[in-house]
Each structure stands twice: as structure tokens, then as C-alpha cells.
Amino acid sequence: MAPRWLSLALLAVAAPSTLGSPTGGRLDTRDDSGNEAFSPPYYPAPHGGWLSNWAEAYEKAHHLVSNLTLAEKVNLTTGTGIFMGPCAGQTGSVPRFGIPNICLHDSPLGVRNTDHNTAFPAGITVGATFDKELMYERGVGLGEEARGKGVNVLLGPSVGPMGRKPRGGRNWEGFGFDPVLQGIGAAQTIKGMQSTGAIASIKHFVGNEQEMHRMSSVVTQGYSSNINDRTLHEFYLWPFAEGVRAEVGSVMMAYNDVNRSACSQNSKLINGILKDELGFQGFVLTDWLAHIGGVSSALAGLDMSMPGDGAIPLFGDSYWGPELSRSVLNGTVPVDRLNDMVTRILAAWFKMGQDQDYPLPNFSSNTDDEEGPLYPGALISPSGVVNQYVNVQADHNVTARAVARDAITLLKNEGDLLPLRRNDSLKIFGTDAGPDPQGLNSCADKGCNRGVLTMGWGSGTSKLPYLITPQDAIANISSKAEFHITDSFPSSVEAGSEDIAIVFINSDSGENYITVDGNPGDRTVSGLHAWHNGDELVKAAAEKFSQVVVVIHTVGPIILEEWIDLDPVKAVLIAHLPGQEAGNSLTDVLFGAYSPSGHLPYTIPYQESNYPESVDLIQQPFGQIQDDYTEGLYIDYRHFLKEDIRPRYPFGHGLSYTTFEYSEPALSVITPLDTEYPPSRPDKGSTPTYPDTIPPASEAAWPKNFDRIWRYIYPYLDNPESATAVANSSETYPYPDGYTTDPQPAPRAGGAEGGNTALWDVAFSVQITVTNTGRRPGRAVPQLYVELPDSLGLDTPSRQLRQFEKTKTLKPGESEVVTLDITRKDVSVWDVVVQDWKAPVAGEGVKIYVGESVLDSRVECEVGGGCSTL
Ligand code: NOJ
């Protein structure tokens, strides 16, 4: 078998061939003449460092950057090349000041391609818990493991895709199909991760909603997600704003274009929205091999090129590296821009305390062997110890199990068939209950669907250190379980009248560089149906058994119609993507040690045609797909409500073994909304300043007697003086339209990380008493949805999730008073003309619903009119 790094390298070469010249030719293809999507220029890149909570980190960064040479600065902005080190990507280093190669590595659910790590449940599972504490705890676990392995930047959480396309391959990496669920999931994860010193990287900014055609090939260009300003702000940008507000250290740009400008060099997105309006203080990096232009991306606000390679990976070429040194020396990229890039990178590094005993990488994602080449991409490379097999798991299995358990979503439970008793006679069917017959981690990046589905496939994975399958866990508890780990129903099985059949089915998806059973990441072939003839298996079991429980492991919505209404199908559970503790978390719920408390992070429709056509996957043999977001805000439940389509199971649905009653609702005004628009933002604070003189050419010259690694990306130039000569000539550079070095006026919607702080003033708060009225302990998830008044003059979804809380475990008869806060932003719309968030004065006409799903409201309040139970 070819070594892992080689097969991945071949894939990398075959898949993406990037377009555009190093000078960023694609900026000039922008067109604002007609109705075509257009991304306006926004220059210059705003400096970081104007917020007090980053002041100390920026001061340290400023001091250091003031002493760096040109080559040292460039080194920190550019990856050393794909497979040129242990991590998915690493920058160059500055040994003179003790700054190592900064290691950037996947994934959002665990440290990828290593050993002795935890394979946590995937994002979609975390979303289904609706549990803010568990979201945070899992973030801490992820951060501790990243740190323990020497990963400086852990590449997650993912909040893009947002589930616009139900068949989209990577929806499962994020927290659900709603911006508030995604935003809270992201913020809690980031806070947890960064509390350990690891830097989080929220991704993919933005509009990466399908896998196919996300990148360019020889005949196609990565698609353009054409999103209007209001939809961007109220839907797709929302979770990124929450991530920035949580002080995220880095943001990864998406592969695709937004409004016909590639995200990695889209000045409006990076300079305008992210750095100016959202006040982002950290650094911006490309997705892997998404860098398509050198000067263009630098001017547009990009701070780091990952993994550093240029149009053709593995040849030691880069759009930055030596080319960035050259463009600074020849005066094209202002020194000021380079200084800001490096200051941002080092400020994030200092802010997380990575200057204090942060471990170096002690693993290699390229091989499992103890020793091997240090730079596998170099072909001829020095060797050494690359894997130290450091165990970073601590007791994270406890969190992993709790998340997987508290996510389990009970869709139906007729006649209270669940929970099971230990001595029930059980017949278990489906390969999804068992192990991968070819062995744990038998396919790279989970690019196969064998055994219980613990996660999707692609870069968003980690290896399973061990796996408790449902089969293992059920066998541990039940004395009367018979296993048929097959997807073809065995005709010889006898069904006794007391027998309960448990059928396991699944639906998988992943990232585009791997195709599984004909699905190139997106669920093109499988659609929203169970894989491996799962529907047939359930139907066959229902023909023989009078009591059937269906357990589903799935990446997202799945159509249940072939069997959900069959009389024997009494109970259905969605166990999402549970990670290593698949079995234990399931039996915790199946046998009643815990009541299920997960809720659907998306809608389950009757049929796929219930979705708008505009969210279908798009394929095109040539040119560039223009993916117009014509449905606007009407994604998932927002669409079903607008079109009055009844879903099979609504967003937020999830039963328990007990029941809850909501009583004594009360609405209080906390900060009166005296004005439509928030109070004016504060002025920007000062930012670090540096001399703006072009450094001497000698700073980019090769050091004497330097031992070069072949194909490694260095910042040095053979003849740096020739670049300086250009700076002194009359040659001018064709800057993009709208380019300027005069700072833009501070956007009125900005003011702090995430935006104007007044947007997060708590405007109202709703209190309710939740009482367990059943006979078993359980946890409720009161979800708060708002309906905004027509007086805002805009078409707005009739329900939008704005807040949720999860009660502690309530004993039968026990109550908890739950407070749900609503901010100014929660009741605002984005005013595209004023470029600010607009709320109804005093919240006049805002309606608030609290309930157990988007369709199951238990309490209604009207601002000014009080609350009632329904
Ligand atoms: C590409 C993926 O889109 C991104 O999510 C990942 O972090 C990088 N590859 C690095 O593996």
C-alpha cells in the first residue's frame, strides 16, 4: 500500500487546480453593471489591535514584530508546503525569538490522523444536545487534546455549511440548520477550546454549502454562492459573528466564491465584514490550497496561506513565501499590510498564552510509524522520531459519552415501548449495530460506511481510539439479545410474540476528495434515504415482529416514510453521529438509565420535494456554477412554515420518557429598546504602528550556508535587490478597482468583537417554570422562537429560534425556573440601506413562543401584552 501521505498528495494534485494569476486577476472580473452578483471592493485591510481585551496580546506582538526581519515576518504568514511537517499545515518559524512552526491541524471533533486521542461526537450531535455546558465541556476536551499533541490551531468549529442543502456533504460537522443553534454551539466550543491555550479556527467563511465543485478544476471554476446582504447578515454570518464575539483566534475562508469573488481574496468579506464590521482581531487563513492570488489576497485582508503551496502543490511554489517578500520589497504590498498580518498571528498566539510552555507537535499525521521522514513531501528528507504516541485522552470519554447520550433524539415511542428492560427478548439487525468487519479505522478519514456510523468522512474526522459498538453495549446489559449483524434480513429468524426487534440503519456523507458508494461527499446517489437498503431491513423486521425499535445514525435529515407508520414500528431514535462511545451512550437511553433529551437540529420532511428547488445540489460540466440563494432566509423550518408544509418531525422535536409542563410565564423588559437602531458605536482604539519604510533587500536574502529542504517553502529570494530596484523605478502596479490606502470610516454596525456591543444588550427576558409531570426523571429543552412585527417592513420568517436552555435532570414532580434572554439583535433585522440592525421601538409587536419544538409552543408572550400558556 502506498504511504498515506503519498496517496493524499496525489489526490491533492488531481483535485484542485487553482485559477488566477499571482496578482489576483479575478478581481477584475467583477461586474456591477447588471443584476449579476457582485462583491464590492473594500480597502484597505483594517488593522487589528484596537480592542482592550486584546491590548496586552497586541502589545507583546507589537514589540516582537518591531524586531523581526522581512523574511521572519513572511515565514509566519506562509505554510511550509503540504506534507512538509507533521500537521495538516504549518507556518515557518522564527527561532531567534523562540517562535516555532505554528501547527494547524484538524478536526472539529478530535485530533485527526493520530493515536491516543478521543473521537468526540460530531457537531450535529452536539447541536442535538441543546446543552450549552456540554458544548463547552467538549470544547475544553478538544482544546486539551490539541494542546497535548502540540497543535497550535485546531481547525474548527465548523459553522459553514449551515445545512442550506440537505444533501450537502459536510452539514454534520456543524451544529444544525439554524444560525442561533450554530452560533451558540460555535461560541461555547471556541470558549472551551481556547480556555486550554489552543487557538480555534471557525470555518468555512462562507457559503460552502455543497461539496461538488467547491474548488476549481481544469474545466470548472469553484461555484459562486450568490447571497444578498440581508440573508448574509441574518443567516450565514450570524454564527461567525458569535464566534468572533467569543474571541476566536482565527477564521478559515471557504473554497468557493461569494458573489463572484473568491472567498480567499474577497475584500468585502474579509476587510469589510469580518475585520471592520465584526471587529475580528485574530488572523484569517485560506482553506487548504484555496489560495489563488498573491497580492490580491494580501490586499483583501488574508493573513495566512495554508498549507502554503501555489497553483500546483508540492513543487515548493507559493503565491506568498518568497513572492510575498518580493511584493513587499518592490512596493506592491504595503509593509504596513505585512506588519498587520504578522501582528494578528502573533497576537492570537500570545493571547492564548502559547509563548508559555506550549508543546511542540509530538505526532505525525503522515504515518503511524515511530520514525519517518520529517518532510514527507520533500521525497528526500531527513528522518527522525515523528510519533511519540502521547496519550491525551484523560477522562474525555466521559464527556464524549454524555454528549452522545444527551443528543439521542426520540422521535416516537408508542405504548411506551422504551425504555427496554434487561430481560426483554431482543433481536438486533443491521450492520450499523456492529464493528467494521475490516477493523477499526480501516479506511482513511472514514471514507467508507462499514459498521456503526460514528462520524461522516473527510478532514472533519479523527481516528477512533476504541469503539464501543451498540452490539458490545447491548450484549453487556441484556441477557437475552440475539444479533444479526447483517443488512439482509435473515429469513430463518423466528419471532416470538414478546420479542422486540431493534433495527439499526444509517446515512453517511463527507468531504469531496473521497467518494463513498458513489457519493462524492454530498449525498448525490443515496439522497436522503438510508444506506445499505436500510428501509428494506426495517420493513422486513416489521413484517415479522410486532414490536420494532429503529435506531438511526445519520449525518442529517433522512426520509422515514417507507416504514414510519407501520404498526409494529413503535419507537424511533436518532442517535446522530456519536463517536467512540456509540454503544454506551445508546444503551444509557435504551435501557432507561437516562431519559432521551436530544432534539432535532433540523427538520425531517415527508419527502425531499418539500424543500425549495433552489437548495438542490448543482452540477455543471464547464464554467462556474452560479448558486443563487433565492430562497433567502427560508431555510429548513423557516421554509416549511412559510409554505405551510407539514414536516414529518419539526425542528426541535424530541420526546422524553417523561412529560413536562410549562407554567407561570413572565416577560420582563431588561434594557428598553428606546431607538430603532442601536446607540452609536464607540470609536476605534489605536492600533500598533510601525515604520512604513521598505526593509533592505538583504532581509530576504538566503542565509549563508543554509541547508535547504527540497520543495520546502522559504521566504527567501535569490536576487532580492532586483525587487528593490522595481520599487525605485517608475513601474506601477495595476491595483484592483476601488483600491485605496485611506482607512474606511468605521462601520456603524461595528464597535467590538461581533459588532456593536449594544446588539447584545438583553432587551427582554422570559421566565417559565418547567415541571416534570411524568413518572421518570428527565431534562426539558425550552426553546424560544420570535416572530417579528410587520412594522419592520420586511418579509420575515414567522418563527426564528433565538434562545434555548436545558433543565437539569428533573425528578417526577420537580420544577425548575428557566430564564431565556433575548437581545436587541434577536429582535432586529438587517437594514441594507442604513447598514445597521433595526429593531421595533420598545419591541412593539414582537411575539415570543416557548416550547418543545418549533411547532409545539407551550407559552406565548407579546411584548407589551404579557404571556399566556397554550
Ligand atoms: C480542507 C477542508 O475543507 C478544511 O475543513 C480542513 O480544515 C482542511 N482541508 C485541512 O485539512
Side-chain angles (χ1 to χ4, degrees):
M1 210 176 103
R4 187 195 305 149
W5 66 264
L6 182 59
S7 50
L8 284 176
L10 293 174
L11 271 172
V13 176
S17 123
T18 44
L19 293 179
S21 70
T23 52
R26 284 216 282 173
L27 281 178
D28 61 15
T29 62
R30 287 172 168 167
D31 170 16
D32 60 352
S33 55
N35 291 323
E36 285 189 334
F38 171 67
S39 193
Y42 193 106
Y43 300 100
H47 290 168
W50 49 272
L51 285 170
S52 57
N53 53 328
W54 282 75
E56 200 186 318
Y58 266 88
E59 214 177 291
K60 291 180 186 166
H62 179 218
H63 179 71
L64 187 51
V65 174
S66 304
N67 289 296
L68 297 183
T69 65
L70 173 60
E72 286 169 334
K73 290 177 191 172
V74 167
N75 234 10
L76 292 174
T77 65
T78 307
T80 57
I82 196 159
F83 308 120
M84 287 294 185
C87 309
Q90 41 268 307
T91 65
S93 58
V94 186
R96 212 160 58 94
F97 292 108
I99 301 170
N101 304 78
I102 296 172
C103 160
L104 298 96
H105 198 64
D106 298 295
S107 84
L109 63 67
V111 186
R112 178 184 176 203
N113 266 333
T114 184
D115 50 86
H116 300 88
N117 59 286
T118 301
F120 286 95
I124 200 73
T125 316
V126 180
T129 66
F130 281 76
D131 185 325
K132 295 175 184 173
E133 270 172 43
L134 280 178
M135 291 169 172
Y136 178 82
E137 276 310 312
R138 174 176 167 277
V140 172
L142 285 166
E144 285 175 352
E145 298 204 6
R147 181 184 186 116
K149 289 281 182 188
V151 173
N152 300 86
V153 183
L154 189 63
L155 303 170
S158 170
V159 296
M162 282 274 285
R164 170 174 183 253
K165 302 198 174 195
R167 289 189 183 208
R170 299 182 72 185
N171 295 333
W172 58 273
E173 293 186 43
F175 305 96
F177 297 12
D178 175 274
V180 166
L181 185 53
Q182 290 266 21
I184 292 175
Q188 295 298 91
T189 304
I190 290 163
K191 287 182 200 160
M193 276 169 64
Q194 295 194 159
S195 72
T196 70
I199 299 172
S201 194
I202 193 169
K203 66 189 187 183
H204 308 83
F205 190 52
V206 58
N208 188 170
E209 295 290 330
Q210 74 166 42
E211 283 300 282
M212 280 180 303
H213 301 296
R214 62 180 182 162
M215 296 172 93
S216 300
S217 73
V218 183
V219 284
T220 59
Q221 190 179 342
Y223 55 78
S224 179
S225 292
N226 299 328
I227 315 175
N228 70 39
D229 193 30
R230 180 170 172 225
T231 306
L232 184 73
H233 276 84
E234 291 185 30
F235 203 84
Y236 297 94
L237 187 63
W238 190 290
F240 287 97
E242 292 299 323
V244 173
R245 198 167 157 253
E247 309 189 321
V248 72
S250 69
V251 175
M252 186 193 292
M253 302 306 293
Y255 282 117
N256 50 280
D257 291 12
V258 163
N259 299 338
R260 293 173 175 257
S261 174
C263 286
S264 63
Q265 53 181 30
N266 186 317
S267 63
K268 172 69 182 171
L269 278 184
I270 310 178
N271 288 340
I273 293 181
L274 192 54
K275 290 186 172 175
D276 232 356
E277 186 183 317
L278 299 189
F280 173 59
Q281 302 293 306
F283 60 94
V284 176
L285 58 134
T286 61
D287 198 342
W288 265 233
L289 307 172
H291 201 187
I292 61 166
V295 176
S296 50
S297 60
L299 302 181
L302 186 75
D303 303 307
M304 189 184 278
S305 167
M306 273 294 132
D309 306 67
I312 304 175
L314 274 174
F315 278 89
D317 296 328
S318 177
Y319 291 115
W320 282 5
E323 297 308 316
L324 185 55
S325 302
R326 186 193 312 283
S327 57
V328 170
L329 287 179
N330 70 21
T332 312
V333 170
V335 190
D336 168 73
R337 182 69 266 273
L338 177 66
N339 284 334
D340 176 59
M341 292 177 194
V342 187
T343 311
R344 283 173 172 274
I345 294 166
L346 287 175
W349 190 73
F350 279 120
K351 184 162 167 69
M352 309 308 157
Q354 294 199 356
D355 55 326
Q356 308 288 321
D357 298 326
Y358 201 86
L360 294 174
N362 50 37
F363 73 103
S364 168
S365 62
N366 304 305
T367 175
D368 299 335
D369 297 340
E370 187 174 353
E371 292 187 21
L374 303 181
Y375 312 103
L379 298 182
I380 304 162
S381 156
S383 293
V385 172
V386 288
N387 275 310
Q388 297 173 35
Y389 309 111
V390 176
N391 190 328
V392 293
Q393 296 165 58
D395 59 355
H396 300 152
N397 61 320
V398 177
T399 307
R401 179 170 174 171
V403 172
R405 173 178 64 225
D406 285 11
I408 291 176
T409 308
L410 181 63
L411 298 182
K412 119 175 212 185
N413 191 20
E414 267 173 29
D416 290 341
L417 178 61
L418 296 180
L420 304 170
R421 289 157 302 183
R422 275 168 186 264
N423 58 355
D424 279 334
S425 169
L426 306 176
K427 301 265 162 68
I428 289 103
F429 301 94
T431 57
D432 183 69
D436 176 348
Q438 299 188 28
L440 196 65
N441 303 311
S442 66
C443 43
D445 291 338
K446 296 285 172 292
C448 61
N449 182 358
R450 295 193 291 254
V452 57
L453 186 71
T454 56
M455 57 188 85
W457 73 78
S459 64
T461 57
S462 78
K463 285 193 191 167
L464 292 160
Y466 64 84
L467 171 61
I468 310 290
T469 65
Q471 181 180 12
D472 299 333
I474 294 172
N476 259 338
I477 290 183
S478 163
S479 50
K480 284 204 250 160
E482 191 180 295
F483 295 95
H484 301 275
I485 304 299
T486 163
D487 295 323
S488 344
F489 192 76
S491 52
S492 56
V493 165
E494 296 294 330
S497 60
E498 298 290 295
D499 281 354
I500 300 173
I502 312 181
V503 186
F504 285 81
I505 62 174
N506 71 35
S507 175
D508 200 358
S509 73
E511 192 175 347
N512 185 232
Y513 66 94
I514 303 176
T515 295
V516 180
D517 294 6
N519 297 282
D522 304 314
R523 291 189 276 176
T524 48
V525 174
S526 69
L528 304 185
H529 294 283
W531 287 38
H532 306 153
N533 289 323
D535 289 338
E536 299 307 315
L537 191 65
V538 180
K539 284 192 283 184
E543 235 168 64
K544 264 213 160 137
F545 292 82
S546 58
Q547 308 182 91
V548 177
V549 177
V550 183
V551 177
I552 308 171
H553 292 106
T554 179
V555 290
I558 178 164
I559 307 289
L560 314 170
E561 293 313 307
E562 286 197 33
W563 44 262
I564 185 88
D565 282 334
L566 296 178
D567 189 55
V569 177
K570 305 288 184 211
V572 180
L573 291 166
I574 298 220
H576 307 280
L577 301 173
Q580 68 190 33
E581 287 285 337
N584 288 332
S585 55
L586 183 67
T587 49
D588 280 348
V589 169
L590 273 184
F591 291 92
Y594 292 79
S595 283
S597 64
H599 288 257
L600 282 178
Y602 45 72
T603 300
I604 295 192
Y606 279 94
Q607 57 212 24
E608 201 177 345
S609 57
N610 290 159
Y611 293 107
E613 257 176 52
S614 58
V615 304
D616 288 351
L617 297 173
I618 309 182
Q619 296 196 54
Q620 188 175 296
F622 304 107
Q624 185 182 40
I625 291 170
Q626 297 303 317
D627 193 354
D628 298 327
Y629 285 37
T630 48
E631 72 291 333
L633 300 171
Y634 295 94
I635 297 297
D636 201 75
Y637 66 86
R638 291 163 167 80
H639 160 77
F640 284 77
L641 287 166
K642 182 180 186 204
E643 299 300 330
D644 202 13
I645 300 170
R646 200 158 61 94
R648 170 53 82 170
Y649 291 109
F651 178 93
H653 172 71
L655 303 173
S656 166
Y657 295 154
T658 189
T659 48
F660 302 100
E661 191 186 84
Y662 290 36
S663 60
E664 297 169 61
L667 174 75
S668 335
V669 176
I670 309 292
T671 311
L673 298 176
D674 292 335
T675 52
E676 273 185 307
Y677 299 99
S680 334
R681 60 167 288 166
D683 288 338
K684 272 187 170 183
S686 62
T687 55
T689 51
Y690 302 94
D692 59 5
T693 39
I694 294 179
S698 58
E699 288 194 10
W702 287 94
K704 289 212 175 66
N705 306 321
F706 190 76
D707 206 4
R708 300 184 197 184
I709 307 285
W710 187 43
R711 293 181 172 174
Y712 194 96
I713 298 168
Y714 294 104
Y716 308 115
L717 290 166
D718 289 339
N719 182 6
E721 291 75 18
S722 65
T724 309
V726 174
N728 297 329
S729 75
S730 57
E731 258 185 73
T732 54
Y733 178 80
Y735 284 101
D737 287 347
Y739 178 68
T740 169
T741 51
D742 296 335
Q744 300 278 340
R748 60 176 279 171
E753 281 171 298
N756 189 337
T757 43
L759 292 171
W760 285 275
D761 285 347
V762 175
F764 310 102
S765 115
V766 174
Q767 276 201 344
I768 40 161
T769 302
V770 181
T771 307
N772 181 345
T773 48
R775 274 174 295 165
R776 290 179 160 273
R779 304 180 71 189
V781 176
Q783 305 156 33
L784 184 150
Y785 298 85
V786 299
E787 182 181 0
L788 302 181
D790 293 342
S791 59
L792 286 168
L794 291 172
D795 186 20
T796 298
S798 61
R799 299 277 187 287
Q800 304 200 70
L801 180 73
R802 286 300 188 240
Q803 190 52 277
F804 58 83
E805 294 293 344
K806 193 161 191 169
T807 65
K808 64 175 195 211
T809 302
L810 297 173
K811 296 192 205 84
E814 198 181 355
S815 298
E816 182 176 322
V817 176
V818 177
T819 303
L820 298 146
D821 288 337
I822 307 167
T823 66
R824 173 184 265 277
K825 191 176 176 193
D826 289 335
V827 294
S828 297
V829 290
W830 177 250
D831 184 328
V832 297
V833 178
V834 178
Q835 290 288 295
D836 205 350
W837 294 92
K838 176 179 162 189
V841 173
E844 180 81 41
V846 172
K847 288 192 183 153
I848 296 160
Y849 304 87
V850 183
E852 303 242 304
S853 84
V854 67
L855 294 185
D856 182 7
S857 303
R858 306 293 181 85
V859 161
E860 183 180 342
C861 306
E862 184 157 355
V863 172
C867 298
S868 53
T869 49
L870 299 170

